[in-house]
Amino acid sequence: MRGANAALGAAGLAAFLALGEAVPRLGLVKEAYFPPTSRIVDALGQEVTDHAFWTALGDTLTGWALGLAIAIGAGVVVGLLVSVVPYLREATASTIEFLRPIPSVALIPLAVLLYGTELRSVLLLVVYASFWQVLVQVLHGVQDVDPVAEETARSYGLGPWARVRHVLWPTALPYVMTGVRLAAAVALILAVTAELVIGAPGLGARIAVAETSQAVPDMYALVVVTGLLGLLINVGARTVERRALAWHQSVRGEVMV
């Protein structure tokens, strides 16, 4: 089954690349706006031989990794505290629902005013966007705890932190891993967006430079790099999720299938 899916995926990718080569060659779109696949591949080959490209890639990954780590840590800690401390969930519900829908890109002017084009501007946007992905999943995970298991733990004399470790955390972990996977993708999107708009060092800033200098094949090549980076991050997040939840019935069922 997995082999067939991989073959279908490869066939679909090959068809997409062939379409990208044929459309500009046939004159359906201007090559100046959408170059053929072969030119994009050539530009990508030139990019990977440029030291500045790898520096930009490192800057993007640094902002992504640091922002994601901060968001995961803060989301898990805040989510557990809000869920465990009596009445804190009700006291913070309206504040969370007010702040969560605010688009991170709306904070770009604030980030520029505070930190200019430094890494901290990227981190501000990445952390704000990713934090909610983790926090909301933690809150839902805690709500899914079996009341019978909770009361059983209390009857056996388990303290608050013991109940968190042995009852709450195993139930919430699948939700947490889902939040981490979503946050990883969101963090990359915001990192590249911040670099593109603010001009912070990274792939986004390099894309902006290529666009303004009319280096269209290089621009598309860099866009392809960000897409490949997102694919690798998603595959990596799913791999970590499967390993962390190897004991969970959903993963065991997936492996059996």
Side-chain angles (χ1 to χ4, degrees), residues 165-222:
R165 178 182 177 184
H166 297 290
V167 179
L168 188 152
W169 183 248
T171 303
L173 185 57
Y175 292 86
V176 174
M177 296 308 301
T178 299
V180 170
R181 176 162 48 84
L182 295 174
V186 170
L188 178 64
I189 294 172
L190 265 298
V192 176
T193 301
E195 294 163 357
L196 184 64
V197 177
I198 297 175
L203 291 176
R206 197 167 173 85
I207 291 173
V209 171
E211 188 270 334
T212 54
S213 61
Q214 300 300 313
V216 179
D218 295 86
M219 181 190 72
Y220 278 102
L222 291 168

Side-chain angles (χ1 to χ4, degrees), residues 151-173:
E151 290 302 322
T152 302
R154 290 179 183 273
S155 65
Y156 276 97
L158 270 67
W161 293 113
R163 294 199 302 273
V164 169
R165 178 182 177 184
H166 297 290
V167 179
L168 188 152
W169 183 248
T171 303
L173 185 57

